[in-house]
Amino acid sequence: HLIYSYLIHTILSLLVLLSQGILERLDAGEVVIGDGGFVFALEKRGYVKAGPWTPEAAAEHPEAVRQLHREFLRAGANVMQTFTFYASDDKLENRGNKLTFTGVQINEAACDLAHEVANEGDALVAGGVSQTPSYLSCKSEADVKAIFKKQLDVFIKKNVDFLIAEYFEHVEEAVWAVEVLKETGKPVAASLCIGPQGDMHGVSAGECAVRLVKAGAQIVGINCHFDPMTCVKTVKLMKEGVEKAGLKAHYMVQPLAYHTPDCSCQGFIDLPEFPFGLEPRILTRWDMQKYAREAYNAGIHFIGGCCGFEPYHIRAVAEELAPERGFLPPASEKHGNWGAGLEMHTKPWVRARARRDYWQNLKPASGRPLCPSLSTPDGWGVTKGHSDLLQQKEATTQDQLKQLFDRRSEIKVTGSEPEVVMGSKVSSKMAAPTARVIQAVRPHAPLIKFPKRQDLPKPN
């Protein structure tokens, strides 16, 4: 009888846990771990095309998207975000992009995949919308909101658990998205891709957060464009702004998995390595543990990742926050804490690395002699309202490309970075950081010469 009662109690407790939504979990102080980056991961695997970054793989190659969801779930994520980044019709047909699936088909397939995998564990499904080419092309508020509404209809039909308006460079467009999402009655999170300097119109991070909360977002934060520590710093500024305004919110952060200390206000898109040469900047799993602790200590309880985040990065976040969550993810079964599995390695010098202080203090080398430590961002200097950002359905022509090449060459020859231009307005506040780009290069030491095999001492 006692065993039977205990089982019933346990089952009921699990059902209560599984029935809790995102706000109930955050209100209870639970740490919610988001998933990682999909467009970059699937581009590397051959399922997404760099440039459009559109998510047709959800309908075209569902097995690839499903597997990535499962890997993030196994790594410890308990939010499965639908692979609907840039899945609005105006983006799907932008710049001559030819697709065989409609926006509705992609969004529906993405919801089905996220639900399928979420049901395999204790995970919630989040439907996501992102910034639109229509906004950059100065379409009206009504036009932009109509695009969000079309995606939203699918999310309601598929009954996602909550909604995320993510990857917005301009708080104005993010507010429009939140206003549309709020009409559903579902919990709404809003995430900007900005740094500590604020959005692309110079609105401070704190003021951005206040506007989003007033629009109806219950969770606010940052995703993409910058490295983890920069994003945590920005969320801290948002938190300060919200509290100063006498408002309340939960906070989220889902940064890049790349080091970006040399980025200007536009983030990693301005780096010359974007998007195909970013691997030397990737954070280690130990960097991720430091990030997770920093975010948690800042009062951020929704912690995940964006571009560059692979499942092992999410596992590192889950392992660092295991004391707060009360459990380790399934993927940790194959990963000793702080390299403990190396104790069984065949080589003694590798066995000696099975300790926390070794990995915490490691300064990874690039393996590239005379490799510069930082880059000079492009600093194109335009944003919404400028003619360079007017979107088109036709593919970019050779004449248009030549104009871009000529302008880039002119900027490099003069050595001056343009101010951030918004239509006919100029924001000197946002232009200042690009004028202070650091070009720190490692000393030009001679290349390391390795001894020949015959010159090495004989093993004892």
Side-chain angles (χ1 to χ4, degrees):
H1 178 72
L2 288 174
I3 294 174
Y4 178 76
S5 298
Y6 173 76
L7 287 172
I8 292 296
H9 175 75
T10 302
I11 292 171
L12 289 174
S13 298
L14 286 171
L15 288 174
V16 170
L17 177 64
L18 290 170
S19 66
Q20 286 185 330
I22 184 68
L23 296 180
E24 289 79 9
R25 297 185 184 204
L26 293 173
D27 287 340
E30 181 180 339
V31 177
V32 174
I33 295 183
D35 53 16
F38 271 68
V39 289
F40 269 49
L42 290 170
E43 190 278 329
K44 288 180 174 66
R45 291 158 169 78
Y47 298 103
V48 167
K49 187 176 182 180
W53 303 114
T54 47
E56 59 270 20
E60 191 175 30
H61 296 286
E63 73 285 353
V65 178
R66 183 187 296 111
Q67 179 61 26
L68 193 53
H69 274 306
R70 281 183 175 145
E71 290 178 16
F72 283 124
L73 181 72
R74 177 175 166 77
N78 51 354
V79 171
M80 296 292 105
Q81 189 167 330
T82 58
F83 185 36
T84 51
F85 175 74
Y86 271 164
S88 58
D89 286 340
D90 62 336
K91 179 62 180 177
L92 292 170
E93 61 187 14
N94 190 44
R95 296 282 165 187
N97 194 31
K98 298 285 191 295
L99 292 174
T100 55
F101 298 96
T102 66
V104 170
Q105 288 174 317
I106 293 171
N107 283 283
E108 286 187 346
C111 288
D112 290 340
L113 292 168
H115 270 298
E116 178 185 346
V117 178
N119 289 336
E120 296 173 3
D122 175 27
L124 301 170
V125 174
V129 301
S130 54
Q131 66 180 20
T132 64
S134 292
Y135 180 81
L136 289 178
S137 296
C138 298
K139 294 290 182 66
S140 69
E141 177 180 348
D143 289 339
V144 174
K145 283 186 171 181
I147 292 169
F148 296 138
K149 179 68 168 59
K150 192 170 183 180
Q151 280 187 274
L152 194 63
D153 289 341
V154 175
F155 296 146
I156 299 306
K157 174 184 174 183
K158 295 295 183 178
N159 194 29
V160 299
D161 295 300
F162 68 104
L163 300 164
I164 298 180
E166 71 160 9
Y167 195 82
F168 286 87
E169 296 172 303
H170 306 85
V171 69
E172 179 182 51
E173 187 184 15
V175 165
W176 294 352
V178 169
E179 288 172 348
V180 174
L181 270 53
K182 190 64 181 174
E183 294 175 1
T184 66
K186 289 184 178 291
V188 175
S191 182
L192 303 175
C193 53
I194 65 173
Q197 303 154 30
D199 86 341
M200 292 300 293
H201 278 107
V203 181
S204 71
E207 177 59 23
C208 284
V210 169
R211 293 187 189 182
L212 293 171
V213 173
K214 287 184 176 179
Q218 294 119 318
I219 308 167
V220 295
I222 296 295
N223 81 291
C224 209
H225 274 205
F226 295 92
D227 60 58
M229 294 308 179
T230 302
C231 288
V232 169
K233 178 181 178 181
T234 307
V235 178
K236 286 181 180 178
L237 294 173
M238 298 177 87
K239 189 170 183 285
E240 290 173 6
V242 170
E243 292 173 350
K244 186 176 180 180
L247 302 171
K248 291 185 178 180
H250 293 292
Y251 301 93
M252 67 183 295
V253 61
Q254 300 201 106
L256 297 174
Y258 306 109
H259 292 284
T260 62
D262 39 358
C263 278
S264 53
C265 62
Q266 184 79 42
F268 80 143
I269 292 176
D270 278 358
L271 292 175
E273 297 90 350
F274 176 88
F276 299 125
L278 291 164
E279 284 81 3
R281 293 174 174 266
I282 199 81
L283 275 77
T284 69
R285 63 195 71 195
W286 317 120
D287 293 325
M288 291 304 180
Q289 293 205 206
K290 183 179 179 181
Y291 147 63
R293 183 55 54 191
E294 186 78 13
Y296 182 81
N297 289 343
I300 306 168
H301 283 188
F302 187 157
I303 304 170
C306 200
C307 296
F309 261 77
E310 293 282 349
Y312 76 95
H313 289 129
I314 293 298
R315 180 180 62 185
V317 172
E319 288 178 342
E320 176 63 30
L321 299 175
E324 286 76 17
R325 300 178 85 203
F327 60 92
L328 286 166
S332 292
E333 296 170 4
K334 299 291 185 179
H335 186 241
N337 192 32
W338 290 100
L342 297 179
E343 293 171 351
M344 296 181 287
H345 200 277
T346 55
K347 305 295 190 295
W349 58 90
V350 178
R351 291 200 295 273
R353 297 171 186 166
R355 63 186 196 276
R356 177 171 181 157
D357 64 317
Y358 177 86
W359 295 110
Q360 262 190 329
N361 298 317
L362 179 70
K363 302 296 181 186
S366 71
R368 292 173 170 81
L370 305 184
C371 174
S373 59
L374 299 177
S375 297
T376 302
D378 271 344
W380 201 256
V382 300
T383 189
K384 183 242 184 178
H386 192 276
S387 60
D388 282 357
L389 290 184
L390 290 178
Q391 305 300 298
Q392 62 189 46
K393 292 184 179 180
E394 303 78 21
T396 304
T397 65
Q398 290 300 312
D399 286 341
Q400 289 174 323
L401 285 175
K402 184 177 183 304
Q403 292 174 20
L404 296 177
F405 298 151
D406 291 344
R407 182 171 176 191
R408 180 67 268 172
S409 298
E410 180 183 342
I411 292 173
K412 287 187 175 180
V413 168
T414 61
S416 62
E417 295 294 338
E419 291 184 326
V420 178
V421 182
M422 307 148 194
S424 59
K425 298 180 181 179
V426 177
S427 171
S428 57
K429 176 182 177 183
M430 298 300 289
T434 58
R436 298 196 298 269
V437 174
I438 302 171
Q439 278 189 297
V441 180
R442 290 179 180 171
H444 291 265
L447 297 180
I448 298 172
K449 293 186 174 162
F450 293 95
K452 296 178 182 178
R453 179 177 290 274
Q454 60 265 29
D455 297 332
L456 291 172
K458 298 272 191 302
N460 188 345

